[in-house]
Amino acid sequence: MRRRSPRRLLGVLAAATVAFGLFSAGPAAGAAVPASTAAARPADTAARPLSTSTPVVFVHGYTGSASNWVTAMSVFRLNGWSGSDLFAYEYNSYGDNVANAQGLASFVNNVKARTGASKVAIVNHSMGGLVSQYYLKVLGGHSSVSHLASIAGANHGTTYAGACLIYTTCRQMYPGSSFIDRITSGDETPGSTRYATWYSACDGIILPYTSTRLSGATNNNVLCQTHIGYLADTVVLGRIARFVAS
């Protein structure tokens, strides 16, 4: 069902496939800059051989879609992945992120069954961070995820969500919500999953921009990148591919 309100609210942020860019309008489906780091788990381990056999599940942001990941998938293929191991999860941007996380759990299980892999890697953008964090932390998904890469994730919320509070997902994305409290209380990076985030002061949508950082993750401060710009940033996407392969 078409929803016009968010697109009017987001104005200039509307693009061909990404409006708010935080976070895919649509039902669940599958489809095959210098940075400083500070965290307990290193993002790049040069001494380790790289592995590109782990399936990757991409999770878009608010009003996004699988098409947001065309460039990312191309970068991952250039870094050694087979296209048959790259998947995009789509969810209802206007519904409930608890249901979206449950859908992600089912999607991951289907990917594991399809590929025969014991674990997948997750790469998310914006509100996809909330969906992913709920899956890993609350639903126990960390046991099925080897790497979690959060690109400008709304992991601790964003005040920009105040523009669309008529929707449950936006209320959940607002700082201080019970949803945010649930995924940030205690250990933010549970299990043996390796976590990394990429964030920038130039984001403009994640407010404050430091909201993306996760305690216990490798948090990469990108010199200057806009919220939507990450989706076409082949340099950052290449670093994310190498992180997932490490």
Side-chain angles (χ1 to χ4, degrees), residues 24-77:
S24 144
V33 158
S36 61
T37 59
R41 298 167 186 158
D44 295 300
T45 310
R48 296 181 181 179
L50 300 183
S51 172
T52 59
S53 61
T54 302
V56 181
V57 174
F58 296 90
V59 184
H60 64 76
Y62 182 74
T63 74
S65 72
S67 63
N68 294 164
W69 300 111
V70 170
T71 300
M73 288 187 177
S74 176
V75 169
F76 270 70
R77 288 194 299 270

Side-chain angles (χ1 to χ4, degrees), residues 11-174:
V12 295
L13 292 175
T17 58
V18 187
F20 200 170
L22 285 174
F23 337 84
S24 144
V33 158
S36 61
T37 59
R41 298 167 186 158
D44 295 300
T45 310
R48 296 181 181 179
L50 300 183
S51 172
T52 59
S53 61
T54 302
V56 181
V57 174
F58 296 90
V59 184
H60 64 76
Y62 182 74
T63 74
S65 72
S67 63
N68 294 164
W69 300 111
V70 170
T71 300
M73 288 187 177
S74 176
V75 169
F76 270 70
R77 288 194 299 270
L78 287 172
N79 277 272
W81 266 266
S82 166
S84 61
D85 284 330
L86 303 175
F87 303 85
Y89 170 62
E90 294 191 324
Y91 59 86
N92 181 5
S93 291
Y94 311 105
D96 184 334
N97 280 323
V98 173
N100 292 336
Q102 292 168 340
L104 177 58
S106 297
F107 189 85
V108 168
N109 287 338
N110 289 337
V111 169
K112 288 166 59 180
R114 177 173 172 177
T115 61
S118 60
K119 293 187 177 185
V120 305
I122 289 179
V123 177
N124 66 57
H125 178 243
S126 208
M127 193 175 80
L130 301 189
V131 176
S132 302
Q133 289 301 109
Y134 195 95
Y135 165 56
L136 266 74
K137 180 170 181 174
V138 181
L139 303 182
H142 59 80
S143 62
S144 291
V145 179
S146 64
H147 296 71
L148 185 286
S150 187
I151 308 171
N155 299 324
H156 293 88
T158 172
T159 57
Y160 208 95
C164 56
L165 292 178
I166 59 172
Y167 298 111
T168 299
T169 47
C170 289
R171 293 194 296 273
Q172 292 170 330
M173 190 163 46
Y174 200 82

